[in-house]
Amino acid sequence: MRTQVGIIGAGPSGLLLSQLLHLQGIESVVLERRTPDYVLGRIRAGVLEEGMVQMLRRAECAGRMDAEGLIHDGFEICFGEVRHRIDLKKHTGAGVMVYGQTEVTKDLMDARAAAGGAVIYEAENVALHDLDSNTPKLTYQKDGAEHEVVCDYIAGCDGFHGPSRRAMPENVLKEHERVYPFGWLGILTDTRPVADELIYVNHWRGFALCSMRSMTRSRYYIQCAFDENLDEWTDDRIWDELRVRLPADAAESIEMGPSIEKSIAPLRSFVAEPMRHGRLFLAGDAAHIVPPTGAKGLNLAASDIHFLSNALIAFYQDGQTDLMDSYSEKCLDRIWKAERFSWWMTTVLHRFPDQNSFDRGVQLAELDYLTSSEPAQAAFAENYVGLPFE
Ligand code: APR
Ligand code: PHB
């Protein structure tokens, strides 16, 4: 088949790009190796920056988010058993939208289906070809047959483990990585959130986070060893550890219940440069990973797609290629700032196995300075709500 833009991956990046191009009359084909249910079954973060909210409105997919999402003007950081509120609205004029990534993906899936979009699930062995030619192509297998998609451009929205980044020539691609010596054990429960806003906790036993998906569905995380065996974490054991790490008033009032999802995620900072080679553009997790501490993963995918969709639209509508030429540099400028912020939040909120008393003293000083300095909170808040796209 022939299309204008071949997209690998039907996660938030690929679906958002396909939808934005469609609204400008630009054709795309999305190739996804999994089933829709599998994609929706991946539980991810749930904090949207204003930029992401605007992208969903631009994509005409914001109806359910506006109806069901929760606008949070701040959140708390707790250390030494003391809860400190960071007032995002006061410092930036903006808050964040609490709305699960699963819901974002479902809204985008529904929009593409309603428009008759070409999103092909269970596409196996997707491969990229002729990236330096004017007719790059994707091949894949489905239902026992070999298929080919000839296109003008390819968007690699296939996440950290996808084939796009690996299709970049080794002498072109540079990768930068830090792997953290711990993971996050997350549970989803149909219980009332312990507080109206998120609570990030630095405890000597390890990090904890109280989040939510709605006022009747809570999301909790506790730091654990990166090689932890999930089977050894019963719900009771998770609740017990969470209540040890939470401040006393929260530990006493938390509503416990059975987990409807339980998983362990590794933490990594990763950046691949450049994000373009020939007719291939990388976007989202295919090009970068952040530890979830700063809730930046989905929001960085949004800014990549902001730049990529604008570049493709400028090409197809006006024949311009300058936005394509500046795509990688513009994305990476914002990505590295979000990487730094996510690394810093991770560094000050977690217990590191090799942490000595000096390290612990510096951690507490960082948190004490942040929570006692208005200028420090203003700088922190502008990073948390999201730096401008341009
Ligand atoms: N062929 C086709 N599809 C593939 C392949 C492949 N070989 N490899 C991966 N994919 C698909 C995955 O199944 C997934 O649905 O690409 C999609 C990538 O989606 P994400 O991993 O969600 O990445 P992205 O769309 O960039 O969204 C970033 O998702 O992982 C979270 O924390 C991350 O919030 C961030 C957001
Ligand atoms: C979540 O709700 O899953 C969540 C919220 C904030 C984070 C990370 C995850 O920093």
Side-chain angles (χ1 to χ4, degrees):
M1 77 184 80
R2 180 74 173 78
T3 191
Q4 289 172 299
V5 182
I7 300 173
I8 311 175
S13 297
L15 292 172
L16 180 57
L17 177 61
S18 178
Q19 176 66 2
L20 290 170
L21 295 177
H22 162 70
L23 293 174
Q24 297 299 320
I26 299 166
E27 289 177 1
S28 65
V29 171
V30 182
L31 301 180
E32 167 57 52
R33 71 174 173 182
R34 303 290 189 182
T35 63
D37 286 347
Y38 185 98
V39 173
L40 290 174
R42 292 188 301 233
I43 303 299
R44 297 284 167 64
V47 172
L48 309 187
E49 297 172 356
E50 182 59 23
M52 178 67 185
V53 169
Q54 293 307 326
M55 290 292 284
L56 289 172
R57 295 205 174 113
R58 190 177 139 201
E60 298 177 9
C61 290
R64 199 159 67 97
M65 175 191 67
D66 285 331
E68 300 175 14
L70 303 172
I71 295 173
H72 283 196
D73 290 339
F75 63 88
E76 292 181 3
I77 292 180
C78 177
F79 62 102
E81 286 284 322
V82 178
R83 298 168 63 163
H84 305 266
R85 185 168 187 268
I86 304 289
D87 190 335
L88 299 172
K89 187 87 172 182
K90 178 176 78 171
H91 292 294
T92 69
V96 290
M97 172 78 78
V98 173
Y99 187 67
Q101 175 172 320
T102 301
E103 309 317 316
V104 170
T105 306
K106 185 173 186 326
D107 294 342
L108 288 165
M109 275 183 183
D110 292 348
R112 298 307 301 123
V119 182
I120 298 168
Y121 290 93
E122 299 180 273
E124 298 174 346
N125 303 318
V126 173
L128 298 84
H129 308 273
D130 308 329
L131 297 180
D132 290 320
S133 77
N134 293 336
T135 52
K137 66 183 177 189
L138 299 171
T139 56
Y140 68 96
Q141 282 124 31
K142 184 172 171 68
D143 303 330
E146 183 78 22
H147 301 269
E148 183 178 274
V149 180
V150 179
C151 43
D152 300 324
Y153 292 98
I154 294 173
C157 301
D158 46 338
F160 185 65
H161 301 289
S164 295
R165 191 173 67 251
R166 293 197 299 272
M168 304 268 283
E170 279 188 20
N171 65 332
V172 168
L173 189 68
K174 293 183 182 59
E175 297 181 326
H176 317 277
E177 183 175 56
R178 175 181 292 276
V179 178
Y180 298 91
F182 40 74
W184 278 18
L185 191 163
I187 59 167
L188 197 63
T189 67
D190 281 332
T191 55
R192 168 187 46 78
V194 72
D196 292 340
E197 296 177 331
L198 274 57
I199 307 175
Y200 291 80
V201 183
N202 172 303
H203 188 275
W204 67 268
R205 289 175 64 92
F207 169 82
L209 171 60
C210 304
S211 184
M212 63 193 78
R213 293 294 176 267
S214 69
M215 291 317 286
T216 59
R217 178 164 287 191
S218 301
R219 179 72 168 165
Y220 293 104
Y221 297 96
I222 54 173
Q223 174 186 343
C224 64
F226 68 91
D227 57 356
E228 199 69 66
N229 179 352
L230 190 59
D231 295 339
E232 293 174 6
W233 283 88
T234 62
D235 286 3
D236 288 346
R237 185 184 173 195
I238 295 170
W239 288 120
D240 288 347
E241 185 61 32
L242 187 61
R243 294 175 68 224
V244 166
R245 298 186 190 184
L246 293 187
D249 55 348
E252 284 158 17
S253 65
I254 196 168
E255 180 185 345
M256 295 177 280
S259 60
I260 56 177
E261 190 272 349
K262 191 189 298 185
S263 54
I264 292 177
L267 272 68
R268 168 198 322 269
S269 297
F270 174 84
V271 179
E273 304 180 85
M275 291 173 58
R276 178 200 183 176
H277 176 71
R279 295 299 178 105
L280 170 64
F281 294 90
L282 302 182
D285 274 16
H288 44 76
I289 297 288
V290 283
T293 325
K296 292 294 165 205
L298 179 58
N299 294 298
L300 275 182
S303 50
D304 290 352
I305 297 306
H306 165 81
F307 293 123
L308 184 51
S309 59
N310 286 348
L312 289 164
I313 292 165
F315 171 74
Y316 283 108
Q317 290 185 352
D318 309 315
Q320 290 175 14
T321 59
D322 57 323
L323 295 184
M324 287 180 168
D325 296 339
S326 62
Y327 168 75
S328 181
E329 183 181 352
K330 272 194 171 181
C331 286
L332 288 164
D333 178 59
R334 190 172 189 275
I335 288 159
W336 274 110
K337 293 185 177 74
E339 291 279 351
R340 178 210 66 83
F341 177 71
S342 304
W343 161 82
W344 183 84
M345 269 193 87
T346 302
T347 302
V348 300
L349 287 172
H350 289 76
R351 177 171 179 263
F352 285 71
D354 61 350
Q355 188 174 51
N356 63 24
S357 58
F358 175 79
D359 302 324
R360 179 69 177 155
V362 167
Q363 234 183 21
L364 294 175
E366 287 273 15
L367 292 167
D368 184 32
Y369 172 63
L370 170 64
T371 52
S372 59
S373 160
E374 289 293 304
Q377 288 172 47
F380 179 91
E382 75 166 347
N383 281 280
Y384 191 89
V385 301
L387 298 177
F389 281 7
E390 295 294 353

